[in-house]
Amino acid sequence: YYFSVFFLLLGILDEDALLSAPQNISILSTNMKHYLTWSPVVVQGETVTYSVEFQGEYEREHVNESWIPICECSLITATMCNITEDISASVAYNLRVRADAGARRSEWGTLKGFFNRITTSLTPPLMKVIADGYHLLVELQDMGPAFQFCVLYWKKGQESRMQQKMVKEVSSVIHLDTMEAGPDYCVKAQTYVEVINRSSSFSQTQCVRAQDGRSMWLVTALISSAVFVVAALTLTFLTLKTSKIFQYSCCPAAVLPETLKVSEPPTKLILHSSEEVEQCDLMVQVMPSEEAVRLWFQ
């Protein structure tokens, strides 16, 4: 009887010590980026961490169904794990998650079914169509080295003569065609991933029209003229201000004292001076030489 009670209590304690396994395990995969997600395991007053492992076709068939830990997702607190680097082949993968809280640990929660990266969801690239004069250009989103782009372009109304260009590397703006003046030219694109041999749907069509070279020249000329006028006015204003600054700093205006200021007009001054000269001439007396010598020795 006592042994039965002991084992019953031990079983209850073991059951309390065991955490519940993570639930709702699923894969989110878009444009060859793969994430494993699950619902959190809640334990009052304790921090729960999670560890993730995967099993590929090789591990199942040749290594006794062994599992490989994902180091970046070992004892993490998040409920999401980026498994992109570990899903390196287009084969069926299985994944599982375990929870830990202190000394307690859960059973493994396993993904229902297998995951193969060929099922990833592919989206069309972000695209911008540009008309540079008569040149039809396109800018494409860089989605990574695994992605190529199929670009279709045509003259509006001539869809039957649609042209195609495969873009393997996105480094700069891509030149598609030389346009004629008048009609619209349209472009759409889709992504293509060679390792899984799949393509996305096409992007929305964007259309542009060749820009008239004469109108562009006129706009450029008007802008250049306006810039020249503004620059000339600015230079003239700066030159005047600079000259004034140098004038006042190097050659300041001198203020005459009151004693040196002339209170009478110049003509009157000239008359006064001539009269004084005449008076001086009248006062000159001629003396005999003997008288001059006598005065000199006195």
Side-chain angles (χ1 to χ4, degrees), residues 21-22 49-53 96-100 105-109:
T49 58
Y50 306 94
S51 299
V52 180
E53 294 182 349
R96 64 184 188 179
V97 187
R98 183 177 63 193
D100 290 271
R105 175 172 288 178
S106 74
E107 295 288 344
W108 288 99

Side-chain angles (χ1 to χ4, degrees), residues 57-255:
E57 186 180 77
Y58 180 81
E59 288 77 25
R60 280 195 305 275
E61 297 181 1
H62 303 288
V63 198
N64 300 322
E65 298 185 350
S66 62
W67 292 80
I68 299 176
I70 298 178
C71 297
E72 295 80 8
C73 299
S74 178
L75 298 176
I76 61 173
T77 56
T79 57
M80 177 181 289
C81 172
N82 187 347
I83 60 173
T84 303
E85 298 298 324
D86 302 283
I87 307 300
S88 56
S90 299
V91 298
Y93 285 84
N94 201 359
L95 295 113
R96 64 184 188 179
V97 187
R98 183 177 63 193
D100 290 271
R104 294 187 291 170
R105 175 172 288 178
S106 74
E107 295 288 344
W108 288 99
T110 306
L111 178 70
K112 293 181 180 179
F114 295 101
F115 170 71
N116 193 320
R117 68 181 185 179
I118 62 173
T119 63
T120 188
S121 175
L122 297 178
T123 62
L126 296 177
M127 179 185 70
K128 181 181 180 181
V129 181
I130 304 168
D132 184 7
Y134 290 96
H135 299 288
L136 179 63
L137 310 175
V138 64
E139 289 182 357
L140 293 169
Q141 173 191 10
D142 188 356
M143 301 175 67
F147 287 82
Q148 301 177 31
F149 305 95
C150 174
V151 182
L152 301 180
Y153 57 97
W154 65 96
K155 187 189 297 185
K156 197 169 186 178
Q158 298 184 9
E159 284 76 7
S160 59
R161 300 176 61 181
M162 192 176 293
Q163 299 183 67
Q164 174 179 312
K165 185 181 186 72
M166 286 300 300
V167 180
K168 295 186 177 181
E169 292 183 3
V170 179
S171 57
S172 60
V173 178
I174 302 157
H175 183 270
L176 297 178
D177 201 359
T178 301
M179 299 182 288
E180 300 174 1
D184 289 343
Y185 284 75
C186 300
V187 182
K188 63 181 180 179
Q190 68 177 171
T191 56
Y192 172 71
V193 182
E194 187 175 11
V195 293
I196 61 175
N197 194 27
R198 282 189 55 221
S199 300
S200 72
S201 59
F202 276 96
S203 64
Q204 290 187 348
T205 301
Q206 298 182 31
C207 299
V208 294
R209 181 175 298 180
Q211 299 177 2
D212 189 359
R214 290 174 297 178
S215 62
M216 288 183 62
W217 178 88
L218 181 60
V219 170
T220 304
L222 289 174
I223 293 174
S224 300
S225 301
V227 171
F228 176 77
V229 170
V230 171
L233 292 174
T234 304
L235 183 61
T236 304
F237 175 76
L238 291 176
T239 303
L240 291 174
K241 294 295 289 184
T242 305
S243 63
K244 287 185 177 181
I245 291 172
F246 277 107
Q247 178 183 354
Y248 290 126
S249 59
C250 300
C251 304
V255 179

Side-chain angles (χ1 to χ4, degrees), residues 27-35 119-123 147:
I27 293 282
L28 300 176
S29 179
T30 303
N31 293 331
M32 299 296 285
K33 301 292 184 183
H34 319 301
Y35 297 89
T119 63
T120 188
S121 175
L122 297 178
T123 62
F147 287 82

